[in-house]
Amino acid sequence: MTSEEKQFKYCTDCGAKNAKGAKFCKQCGTPFASNQSQATTHSERESHEENRSSIMGSATAKLNSWTGGHGEVKISLRNFFSEVFKKHTQTEAEEIFIVGTPKTTPSIEDVSVQEVHPWLFSRIFAFAILLVILMYVLTTANGRPGMFIALTSVAAVVIPVSSLILFFEINVLQNISFYKTVQMSFFGGVLSMLLVMSLDAVIPSGTGNILASFGTGFTEELSKVLIAAYFVNQVRARGILNGLLIGSAVGAGFAAIENIIYSVNDETGTLLPLSSDIFRTVTSMGTHTEWCAISTVGLIIACAGKKLTFGDLLNIKFLRFFAVAVILHTIWDSGILSSQDGTLTLPEIIKYTSLIAIVWIVILVLIHAGLRGISELKRAKIGQKNVEKI
């Protein structure tokens, strides 16, 4: 600090130089904050930050306890996505997909339990965005209705596909092949959509009011998780990370189909504006894919490594995760903070953004729990081998 700065202070309003002890600016009369008020403001700011940290810590601790863990989980998106902006080779990308066969599935002792840092999904996303841009240019130049249908269809699947790749990278067990993942996504999406249509005939559903939105959330989440349950048994899923992958596969397939369906106006049969398709696909980063992943983790925890049965669907260990997905879905579809004329408002954007943030907090806690579970399995397996040697 210079000698002049020690003797004078400057008004933050008009910039005038004033004596160090002045209480008001001699130029504009703006009062200077006292040291006491500044200290109080700083103290209040720290208190607010501690409260936010306490709320987050309590929430993550509760979620962690549902998975059998203890204590809060530190959430850091910056750390989680730290590999996204680093350079990676094509060989590294291709090796990610070479998993899930008897020869390429590692033993539990060889599975890494270090923090996961997915990155390939971002390259798939960038490629898909470039493809959408090129198709938009082609559509603009061509002008044929069929080109616009092709454009909206590609735009509808950008986020679901990218999200599925992310969950595929997260599965460090590497026991489910990419072929099987794609198969679960295609068949899971179609079968769950058919199941929704059947349940809609008996359960009132819709959007706008809470009851109708709850009906939609319940039927769609139940349909997806029932299909996911079939795949859990089929692939003999083991652990939370498997549950995240299976659930995300079914959810991504469902999301892609629904995004394409909603690109057309049901009443007129005409295509909706491209902006509507873009909004749906962007918000897909925190909806069907992630909701189904959360519910499926509940199934994995409920069955505890055994074959999944109907009784597991009534287990509280499953029901609380399923309830999280249904509640998030219900709020998403409800008219809370929505405008009467259907235009997108700032409060509505805040609602969607908040719901996406909550979903990913849950997902990150589940990833942490999945890695913890693998670590425990490794220790048990190594301990068993040491006993056998003795």
Side-chain angles (χ1 to χ4, degrees):
M1 183 180 288
T2 65
S3 59
E4 182 175 331
E5 289 175 326
K6 292 179 180 178
Q7 298 175 13
F8 301 98
K9 59 183 176 182
Y10 293 85
C11 177
T12 57
D13 211 24
C14 68
K17 183 166 71 173
N18 292 265
K20 190 70 175 178
K23 296 182 178 180
F24 299 89
C25 175
K26 65 181 180 180
Q27 183 72 25
C28 66
T30 299
F32 290 107
S34 65
N35 290 336
Q36 182 178 1
S37 66
Q38 289 176 353
T40 301
T41 301
H42 180 70
S43 177
E44 289 176 348
R45 187 184 305 114
E46 286 186 336
S47 177
H48 288 318
E49 290 176 354
E50 287 177 1
N51 287 337
R52 285 197 297 270
S53 176
S54 176
I55 293 172
M56 175 72 80
S58 298
T60 59
K62 173 59 72 174
L63 285 167
N64 196 27
S65 69
W66 289 359
T67 67
H70 303 282
E72 67 179 272
V73 178
K74 299 295 183 182
I75 302 296
S76 175
L77 289 177
R78 181 178 181 181
N79 180 55
F80 184 66
F81 295 117
S82 59
E83 291 292 321
V84 168
F85 298 103
K86 294 181 180 179
K87 186 176 180 180
H88 295 277
T89 65
Q90 183 174 333
T91 300
E92 288 179 282
E94 291 171 347
E95 287 176 348
I96 290 175
F97 294 108
I98 309 174
V99 298
T101 68
K103 292 182 179 180
T104 57
T105 298
S107 63
I108 191 66
E109 298 94 324
D110 295 328
V111 173
S112 172
V113 292
Q114 295 181 354
E115 292 182 336
V116 290
H117 303 286
W119 60 270
L120 182 59
F121 77 95
S122 64
R123 307 307 196 263
I124 303 296
F125 174 75
F127 172 78
I129 290 297
L130 177 61
L131 182 60
V132 169
I133 293 172
L134 292 174
M135 290 193 68
Y136 177 77
V137 173
L138 184 60
T139 302
T140 304
N142 188 286
R144 296 177 62 181
M147 285 302 304
F148 192 79
I149 294 173
L151 171 62
T152 55
S153 298
V154 172
V157 303
V158 168
I159 296 294
V161 170
S162 302
S163 297
L164 181 56
I165 297 299
L166 183 149
F167 284 102
F168 185 79
E169 292 183 79
I170 287 171
N171 182 38
V172 298
L173 287 168
Q174 298 181 345
N175 61 328
I176 301 176
S177 68
F178 188 66
Y179 167 76
K180 186 61 184 179
T181 301
V182 172
Q183 186 186 61
M184 290 189 296
S185 187
F186 281 147
F187 284 103
V190 173
L191 291 174
S192 56
M193 188 65 72
L194 289 171
L195 196 51
V196 166
M197 293 172 62
S198 301
L199 291 176
D200 278 344
V202 294
I203 301 176
S205 60
T207 58
N209 67 73
I210 290 293
L211 286 178
S213 298
F214 175 77
T216 298
F218 179 78
T219 56
E220 293 188 357
E221 295 312 312
L222 179 61
S223 299
K224 288 182 294 181
V225 80
L226 287 176
I227 301 302
Y230 166 76
F231 288 119
V232 166
N233 277 340
Q234 187 190 52
V235 303
R236 297 178 182 177
R238 48 175 183 164
I240 289 174
L241 299 185
N242 273 189
L244 287 172
L245 177 56
I246 295 169
S248 67
V250 175
F254 187 95
I257 294 171
E258 189 179 75
N259 286 349
I260 294 173
I261 289 174
Y262 280 104
S263 66
V264 178
N265 187 309
D266 289 338
E267 296 179 359
T268 63
T270 58
L271 291 171
L272 294 174
L274 182 60
S275 58
S276 175
D277 300 322
I278 292 175
F279 172 77
R280 283 198 63 85
T281 194
V282 167
T283 53
S284 293
M285 69 177 64
T287 56
H288 289 292
T289 304
E290 290 71 25
W291 294 334
C292 189
I294 292 170
S295 293
T296 309
V297 166
L299 290 176
I300 295 292
I301 294 174
C303 70
K306 301 176 183 177
K307 185 175 181 180
L308 196 61
T309 64
F310 179 78
D312 293 318
L313 295 174
L314 304 177
N315 190 322
I316 186 60
K317 293 181 180 180
F318 160 70
L319 290 175
R320 50 195 176 196
F321 284 102
F322 178 68
V324 168
V326 172
I327 291 170
L328 290 170
H329 194 155
T330 299
I331 298 173
W332 187 281
D333 283 352
S334 71
I336 298 174
L337 301 179
S338 300
S339 63
Q340 295 295 327
D341 59 3
T343 57
L344 189 63
T345 62
L346 180 59
E348 197 172 10
I349 292 174
I350 293 174
K351 179 184 82 170
Y352 293 137
T353 303
S354 300
L355 290 172
I356 291 171
I358 292 170
V359 160
W360 277 99
I361 289 172
V362 176
I363 293 294
L364 290 173
V365 171
L366 294 180
I367 293 171
H368 168 84
L371 293 173
R372 185 195 68 239
I374 295 172
S375 179
E376 292 170 354
L377 284 174
K378 285 186 68 170
R379 286 198 299 268
K381 191 72 174 178
I382 293 172
Q384 182 183 358
K385 284 191 174 182
N386 290 336
V387 170
E388 290 174 353
K389 288 180 181 179
I390 296 174

